[in-house]
Amino acid sequence: MYPVPADARGLIQDGRLDRRLFDITTLSSPAYAHRQDLRLIVRYDTARPAARTALRADVRTQRTLNSINADALTAPAGDAQLWSTLNTGPASAADRGTAPGIPSVWLDAVVEARLDRSVPQFGGPQAWKAGLDGLDRVSPSSTPASMPPTPTWPGR
């Protein structure tokens, strides 16, 4: 169910605002319901760096996403000031736009890993058939002291 406010409809139709921000079915699910905040990904126009500075004053920056010139942000749920910062123009749906320097705003959605889909994408079943089980490999989080003895690390 998407109860979209009139002043957001045009922004959604133009692809500037993520429709999922108004998906009350998803946002009331257990993955979101316990949160007291709203997580967003806000993309910036490189020609207007002041937009990033202005928005960061109202929210907490979780991560900068340089590859898409965006920030992953966290704002208090129901923050009306944030809505005012993110868009501009009269309240009518036809005249509303995102604030200068902010071409798009997306929900930073919760994603559920599906091993039945992701493991085959990187060749897991083929590796297992070839006899590879990962036991003689070092993970990035392993330390020499915590690793079992392997051909790579004899004596450990």
Side-chain angles (χ1 to χ4, degrees):
M1 182 185 221
Y2 296 88
V4 178
D7 61 344
R9 288 185 192 130
L11 295 170
I12 292 170
Q13 289 171 350
D14 292 344
R16 295 165 102 26
L17 190 63
D18 188 347
R19 179 175 175 237
R20 296 174 302 164
L21 290 165
F22 304 97
D23 180 357
I24 60 171
T25 302
T26 296
L27 296 175
S28 62
S29 71
Y32 294 92
H34 70 281
R35 293 183 175 171
Q36 300 298 312
D37 58 26
L38 179 63
R39 297 178 186 183
L40 304 169
I41 295 176
V42 178
R43 211 166 53 88
Y44 303 101
D45 181 351
T46 54
R48 297 182 183 212
R52 177 174 270 160
T53 304
L55 187 57
R56 283 182 172 181
D58 295 333
V59 297
R60 190 171 75 233
T61 303
Q62 296 296 325
R63 178 171 290 125
T64 298
L65 308 168
N66 292 322
S67 64
I68 59 170
N69 196 30
D71 284 332
L73 306 171
T74 302
D79 185 354
Q81 178 60 39
L82 176 63
W83 180 245
S84 298
T85 303
L86 289 173
N87 61 73
T88 185
S92 70
D95 297 333
R96 209 74 167 146
T98 52
I102 300 176
S104 57
V105 179
W106 299 300
L107 174 66
D108 190 355
V110 174
V111 179
E112 182 180 317
R114 298 284 313 258
L115 294 178
D116 62 324
R117 294 182 184 167
S118 63
V119 172
Q121 288 177 337
F122 65 82
Q126 293 86 348
W128 298 329
K129 283 181 185 175
L132 301 173
D133 59 12
L135 294 178
D136 65 341
R137 302 291 180 252
V138 178
S139 78
S141 62
S142 297
T143 62
S146 68
M147 294 184 293
T150 68
T152 308
W153 295 91
R156 293 259 183 217

